[in-house]
Amino acid sequence: MTLKHWLFWKEKDLLWSQKKLKCYAAWRLLALLAVSVCWGLALLVASQGSYPLENLKTFVETPLLAVMNVIPVVFLSLLFYAAFARALPAFALSGGIWLGFTLTNYYLLRFRDDPLMALDLLDFFTAMHFKNQYDLMPENRLWAVLGCFVLALLFLGIFARGKGAGKGMRITLLAIVLLSAYPLGLLYTNDEVYEKKLANFNHFSEWSDTQQYLARGFVYSFLHSVPDLLPSAPEGYDAEQEGEILKSFTETDIPASKKVNFLSIQLEAFADFSTLGMDGVDFSLYDDYHALEQESYTGDLITNIFAGGTVDTERCILTGSAELEKNYRSDTNSYAWWLRQQGYTAHGSHPCFNSFYNRLNINRYLGLEDYRYYDDYFMELVDGGLTTDDILFPEILKWMRESIKETGKPCFSYNVSYQNHGPYDATTSGKNYVTGNVSDESRHIINNYLANVEDTIGAITALTEELRTWDEPVVLLLFGDHMPWLGYANSVYQEFSVDFDLASEQGLKNYYGTRYLIWANDAAKAQLGEDFVGEGPTLSSNFLLNEVFALCGIQGPAFMQYADQIRQTLPVLTSTGYYLKDGKVKSELTETEETALAEYTRVAYYWRNEFLYGENE
C-alpha cells in the first residue's frame, strides 16, 4: 500500500470516528432529553400528594399545563449537561433537585394540605425540626416515582455513559439555555397566564388555594411563587403619600383609667368541633369552654392558614397586617411596640425552640422585649418533656404578676401554646369521644386530638379561676391559630363529611376559621366600665386586636385607627383571596372595595417598612 492510499484510509477512519462521536453525542443528548421529559411527567404524579390520581386528567385535557411543568426539568438537565458534558451526572443532579422539591411538596400536602411555596424555603430548618413527628413512609405512588428515578439513572448509566458533548455542542447548549432563561422567567411569573389562560378546574376546586396550586402542577406553581422571595412595593405605592394618610389620624395616649393588663394566648390548633356539623362525636368536653363563652365576648376568627403555619396568625395579629411578611430583618411596627411606647412591658412565651420561624430574632423586631422558649426555660422545667398547657399557663401568670409588681408598669403578654400540635396518633387512643361508626384510624386521630383539647380547656378554666382572684385588672384574649391536621389529605374531616366548600360562609369558617374569646376579670370590668359579654363580629386575624382595644375604649395607633375604617368595608380581609361580608363569601370585589383594598395594601406596606415606634423606657 502506497503512502497516498494509507493516508486516504486514515483520513476516512478519522472522519468515520468523528461521525461516530457526533452520533454518540447526539444519542446521549436525545437520551437525556427523553429521560428528562419522562421524569417531568413522573413528577406530576408525585406532586399531587395524596389527592386522587384521576386529577391528572387535567394535564391531558390541557396539555400546555403538562408542558409548562416539563420544560423547567428539561431546562435544568441541559444546563448541567453543558457543564459536565455527561448525561448521567447532569440528570442525577437536575433530577435530584426537582425530586427534593417534589418530595417536600408531597409531604406538606400529606401533613398540612399545604403545597410548597418558594417562601417556605426560608423556613427549611424549622421544617426539619418537625420531620420526626410524622410518618414519612411513602405511599405506593411515591415508591413508583422513586423507582422511575432509579430506572432513569440506570438507563443513562448503561446506554448513555461516557463523555458525550464536545466543546462546540456545550457552548451551543449553554447559549440556548441562557438566552431562553429570561423569556421563560417572564412566562412563568406572569399572573395573567397563570391565573386565567392556564386554569383548568374540571377536576379541582377553584375555591381551594391548595387545589388551585395542584391544578397547574407543582413545578409550574412553585416557579410562579418565586417572585414572592423578593417582594416589591404595591402598585402606586408612594411612601410620602401613605405616611400622610397615617398622619391624618390623631394618636392619643392611653388614659391611666384605661391601662389594664393584656394577656393573649394563641392556642395551638384549638378548635370547637361542635360547630362543624359532625355527627357521632360526644362534644360534652366543650361544656366548660362554652360556659366561659357565655361570660365572654366571642366571635369567629378567619385566618389565612389551615392545619399549619402558626406564625402567620401570630404575626398578622401582632402587626395588624392581613398578609404575613416573612422577611423581617429589622424593627417592624407592631401593636406591641406601640404599647411599649405607652408605658407597657411586652413579653411572652412559647414552649418550643427559639429557632422555629426565627422567633428569637423576629419577636424582638416585633417589640416583644423578653420571650421564654423551650430551650432557654421550659426544657429544664419539664425535664425535657412536653410543656402541656397545665404547666404553661401557671408560668404565664407567674411571670405576668412578677412583671407588674417589679416594674410597676401594665403588661402586654403575648403567648403561643404548643400542646395540641399534630400529628395525632392513628394507632391507639385512651379516651373515646366517638360514638358513631368510623374507621379505626379516624377514631384514634380524633380521640387523641380531643383529649388534648379537653386538657387545654381544663387549663383555661384553672387560668380564669386564678385571674378572678387578682386585684390587677386583666383582659384575656384566647383564640386558636388554625384548624388541626387530621389525617393525610384531610381523611378524618372527609369521613365525618365536614363542609369545606369555600364558596359558602360555613365552609369557609370550617376550613379557615377558629373562635376568639375576650374575657375580663372583675377588676378590669370595674376599671373599664365594660361587661365583656356578647357575640362579636366575624373578624380576620389582622383585626382581632382592634376589637380588643375597642372594647377597652382605646383608640390605638394611627394604623389601627386606619384599619378600623377599612374593616367597615372589608371586615374579613385575608391573604387567601376570600373575603366575607354580610354572611357572603366573595372572591371578586366591587370597585369601591377594590379601591379600599388597594389603598390598605399600600398603607400596610408602609406600616411594615417604615418603623415609627421606638421604645419608651
Side-chain angles (χ1 to χ4, degrees), residues 589-601:
L589 303 177
T590 65
E591 184 177 347
T592 299
E593 291 167 340
E594 284 281 10
T595 301
L597 177 59
E599 183 185 84
Y600 169 83
T601 302

Side-chain angles (χ1 to χ4, degrees), residues 278-338:
M278 298 170 62
D279 295 325
V281 181
D282 178 7
F283 290 125
S284 61
L285 73 133
Y286 288 101
D287 287 350
D288 287 344
Y289 181 75
H290 291 157
L292 185 63
E293 282 192 315
Q294 292 301 309
E295 56 175 285
S296 305
Y297 185 86
T298 60
D300 291 313
L301 182 69
I302 307 297
T303 71
N304 295 324
I305 52 177
F306 174 83
T310 295
V311 72
D312 189 296
T313 303
E314 181 179 341
R315 291 172 184 166
C316 285
I317 288 174
L318 279 169
T319 63
S321 294
E323 186 173 0
L324 176 66
E325 170 63 52
K326 288 202 172 185
N327 293 319
Y328 297 98
R329 292 293 182 269
S330 60
D331 290 343
T332 303
N333 293 316
S334 73
Y335 299 138
W337 275 115
W338 183 78

